[in-house]
């Protein structure tokens, strides 16, 4: 009796030990899916809800494929629906769990051989990000101010940096506000804001002195730290970690559907378990309220807002219901300058950036940060989808360096061009 019990216990413990960290994605597959037109786009978003699909990358009709994850029980139905509509597809990943196990092992090997890696060359945890922000603020007190935006739902400090050669007092300078990690699983995004801090503060190069001297910067690298930390356990976690449905199995709100512009009108699910649940009301999340409050505090001077996501190589602007802001031509121009500056440095195997209104280019959305910023009066409000170089959410460190570097050139280009439009705005404001 005694030994039998022990044997069972041993087997149970062994089972636990051999169980993979990413087992919940076992036999989940990812497909590249052709998108020919708006009808295909619409079908995919219908299937998203019906078959609990996870859209990793949105496609663009006739130009770029979507990348979609489907669970084992829904796979047959999904492929049948595609075939019925004559939509072509190909397998990208057969087993998502295995793909992430392999990526983890590669990351461990890489880390073991790089003792002096920089915080922005890797996927730093919440503590490391905060340490870096604090360290930069301590070492460059004349240039950098550390600000506490508030607490996350689970009580983590959310911090951002203000970078200015004139202590934010020169009203003739526009502000560039950028943020990353509203969506927790998009790990490659935070390195780009940390690298931008590095380039502005620790490693300013002659060719960039203008963007430091003539622009003030607000940089918020970890918008959703609860979700980010949780994604180190459940890798594809996207949302915040609040509990609105009083159901621990269905936590979180999609932060980029929670903003107060066209809130909960399209491209969302009322189901709190869904990855695109917009929350019980606009700005139900402390994390999105932080962004709103920063926008409102500096509204007269924020010239450009950049919400950085992964992945797809897109620069998009409002609005998510296909209507266009008055200055759509300028928005397209500055977005294109950004995409083109990045493309000029891209690796040969990578595609080009696509630029446009988010709904026209891809699909209708509501309640996103880009639209809210535009609506309250930020002249240039964007969503940036970084490249993945074919590695979806598993971008290896060599490509993190490349993405940081090329994205910085795009950020600097957009800062310059958006600033040239600020003079008009500033002159008008000081005249009245
Ligand atoms: C997007 O929104 C606009 C405006 O509400 C609507 O006319 C259009 O049909 C929508 N498109 C899709 C594909 O739902």
């Amino acid at each position: 009796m005694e030994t039998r019990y022990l044997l069972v216990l041993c087997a149970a413990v062994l089972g636990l030990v051999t169980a993979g960290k990413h087992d919940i994605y076992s036999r989940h597959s990812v497909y590249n899916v052709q998108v020919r037109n708006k009808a295909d786009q619409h079908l995919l978003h219908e299937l998203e809800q019906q078959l609990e699909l996870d859209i990793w990358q949105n496609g663009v009709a006739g130009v770029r494929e979507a990348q979609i994850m489907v669970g084992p029980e829904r796979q047959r139905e999904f492929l049948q629906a595609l075939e019925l509509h004559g939509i072509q597809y190909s397998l990208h990943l057969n087993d998502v769990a295995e793909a992430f196990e392999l990526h983890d092992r590669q990351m461990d090997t890489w880390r073991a051989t790089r003792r002096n890696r920089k915080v922005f060359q890797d996927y730093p945890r919440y503590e490391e990000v905060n340490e870096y922000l604090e360290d930069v603020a301590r070492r460059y007190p004349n240039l950098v101010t550390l600000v506490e935006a508030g607490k996350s739902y689970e009580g983590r400090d959310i911090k951002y940096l203000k970078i200015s050669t004139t202590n934010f007092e020169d009203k003739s300078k526009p502000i560039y506000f950028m943020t990353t990690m509203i969506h927790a699983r998009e790990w490659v995004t935070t390195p780009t804001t940390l690298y931008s801090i590095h380039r502005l503060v620790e490693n300013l190069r002659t060719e960039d002195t203008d963007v430091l001297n003539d622009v003030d910067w607000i940089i918020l690298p970890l918008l959703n730290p609860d979700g980010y930390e949780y994604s180190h356990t459940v890798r594809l976690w996207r949302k915040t970690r609040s509990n609105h449905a009083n159901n621990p199995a269905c936590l979180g709100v999609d932060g980029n559907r929670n903003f107060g512009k066209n809130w909960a009108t399209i491209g969302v699910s009322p189901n709190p378990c869904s990855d695109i649940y917009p929350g019980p009301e606009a700005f139900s999340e402390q994390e999105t309220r932080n962004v709103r409050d920063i926008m409102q505090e500096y509204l007269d001077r924020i010239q450009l807002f950049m919400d950085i996501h992964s992945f797809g190589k897109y620069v998009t602007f409002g609005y998510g219901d296909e209507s266009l802001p008055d200055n759509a031509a300028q928005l397209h121009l500055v977005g294109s300058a950004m995409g083109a500056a990045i493309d000029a440095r891209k690796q040969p195997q990578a595609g080009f950036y696509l630029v446009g209104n988010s709904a026209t280019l891809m699909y209708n959305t509501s309640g996103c940060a880009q639209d809210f910023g535009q609506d309250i009066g930020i002249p240039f409000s964007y969503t940036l989808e970084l490249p993945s170089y074919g590695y979806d959410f598993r971008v290896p460190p060599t490509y993190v360096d490349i993405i940081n570097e090329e994205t910085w050139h795009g950020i600097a280009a957009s800062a310059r061009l958006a600033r040239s439009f600020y003079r008009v705005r500033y002159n008008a404001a000081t005249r009245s």
Side-chain angles (χ1 to χ4, degrees), residues 132 134-145 162 164 197-198 200-203:
Y132 180 67
E134 283 158 18
D135 182 54
V136 169
R138 205 178 306 117
R139 286 189 290 121
Y140 298 89
N142 296 329
L143 202 54
V144 180
T145 310
K162 286 163 56 176
S164 170
I197 293 168
H198 173 69
L200 283 167
V201 178
E202 297 177 301
N203 185 22

Side-chain angles (χ1 to χ4, degrees), residues 141-147 160-178 200 211-219 294-295 297-303 422:
N142 296 329
L143 202 54
V144 180
T145 310
L146 180 72
V147 185
Y160 64 89
L161 293 187
K162 286 163 56 176
I163 299 172
S164 170
T165 55
T166 45
N167 197 30
F168 259 68
E169 283 159 6
D170 183 348
K171 301 270 188 277
S172 72
K173 290 186 188 180
I175 294 172
Y176 194 116
F177 175 20
M178 63 175 155
L200 283 167
V211 290
L212 178 65
N213 289 330
D214 303 341
V215 177
D216 283 350
W217 297 79
I218 295 176
I219 304 181
I294 294 169
M295 284 177 172
E297 181 174 357
Y298 299 100
L299 191 56
D300 57 335
R301 285 177 59 214
I302 297 178
Q303 180 71 349
Y422 181 72

Side-chain angles (χ1 to χ4, degrees), residues 59-198:
V60 171
V63 179
R64 194 161 290 172
E65 291 177 324
Q67 223 164 52
I68 300 177
M69 181 172 83
V70 58
E73 296 85 23
R74 304 298 204 148
Q75 204 151 160
R76 244 192 61 200
E77 243 178 305
F78 176 54
L79 299 183
Q80 274 171 357
L82 296 183
E83 280 159 22
L84 182 68
H85 291 87
I87 297 177
Q88 291 179 6
Y89 60 86
S90 64
L91 188 65
H92 171 64
L93 292 177
N94 182 45
D95 187 311
V96 171
E98 275 174 21
F100 276 114
E101 305 287 353
L102 179 64
H103 177 64
D104 283 356
R105 286 199 295 278
Q106 287 166 342
M107 287 300 300
D108 288 345
T109 309
W110 183 84
R111 282 179 188 131
T113 55
R114 299 257 180 343
R115 292 263 171 263
N116 293 320
R117 68 194 153 87
K118 299 259 204 284
V119 67
F120 46 77
Q121 291 179 308
D122 198 344
Y123 299 120
R125 299 293 291 263
Y126 162 77
E127 294 287 351
E128 295 170 80
V129 172
N130 276 356
E131 275 165 27
Y132 180 67
L133 300 183
E134 283 158 18
D135 182 54
V136 169
R138 205 178 306 117
R139 286 189 290 121
Y140 298 89
N142 296 329
L143 202 54
V144 180
T145 310
L146 180 72
V147 185
E148 310 237 347
K151 301 263 188 218
S152 68
Y153 177 78
E154 290 176 345
R156 292 186 177 86
D157 292 321
I158 298 175
K159 301 183 182 197
Y160 64 89
L161 293 187
K162 286 163 56 176
I163 299 172
S164 170
T165 55
T166 45
N167 197 30
F168 259 68
E169 283 159 6
D170 183 348
K171 301 270 188 277
S172 72
K173 290 186 188 180
I175 294 172
Y176 194 116
F177 175 20
M178 63 175 155
T179 180
T180 39
M181 202 59 79
I182 192 169
H183 286 154
R185 65 197 189 176
E186 298 170 5
W187 285 10
V188 78
T189 59
T190 290
T192 62
T193 37
L194 299 179
Y195 182 73
S196 300
I197 293 168
H198 173 69

Side-chain angles (χ1 to χ4, degrees), residues 38 41-42 266 320-323 359 363-364:
K38 285 280 172 185
Q41 197 72 279
H42 191 65
I266 192 164
D321 64 0
E322 293 182 337
S323 67
Y363 198 72
N364 288 16

Side-chain angles (χ1 to χ4, degrees), residues 6 26 48 63 77 99 117 244 286 294 296 357 388 392 400:
L6 217 79
S26 174
E48 176 186 22
V63 179
E77 243 178 305
R117 68 194 153 87
H244 294 291
Q286 184 58 50
I294 294 169
Q296 278 167 349
N357 167 267
S388 77
D392 51 72
V400 175

